[in-house]
Amino acid sequence: MAPPPPATAVADSMSAPAAPRDSQTNIDIMAVTKGFHWPWFIALVFALTGVAVAAATLAYQTYVGLGVAGYQAPIFWGVYIITFVFWVGIGRILVGLTALWCRRTIRQTYHKFIH
């Protein structure tokens, strides 16, 4: 019976699998994430500044009260509620118009193939 080969010979014969090569599409998509772009950084700082100002304003109004916004006793939250309902209504109208537009587009496409 022959002795088994030494362990070092087996370890030397094993090699790491080759890393898969990225396609050109992946390379193009990931190229956007490489490097530092100043316009993006300026836009990020501007957006974060806006969020910080909004948070500070909300905190100040919560601490001091609604008088900061110019509201008096009988109409405290009324303007906020009316504004919220207004924008919900606008959103609902736009969803309805989009549904009608999609229905019309699909119907026209369907009839184009039939006739």
Side-chain angles (χ1 to χ4, degrees), residues 55-72:
T57 304
L58 179 63
Y60 181 69
Q61 181 176 346
T62 303
Y63 180 73
V64 174
L66 289 173
V68 173
Y71 302 135
Q72 301 302 321

Side-chain angles (χ1 to χ4, degrees), residues 26-82:
N26 287 347
I27 293 170
D28 291 341
I29 290 172
M30 293 306 294
V32 177
T33 63
K34 300 202 183 335
F36 183 74
H37 302 286
W38 284 103
W40 179 86
F41 182 71
I42 291 170
L44 177 67
V45 168
F46 185 71
L48 291 177
T49 303
V51 169
V53 167
T57 304
L58 179 63
Y60 181 69
Q61 181 176 346
T62 303
Y63 180 73
V64 174
L66 289 173
V68 173
Y71 302 135
Q72 301 302 321
I75 51 166
F76 281 128
W77 288 102
V79 175
Y80 289 130
I81 293 170
I82 289 170

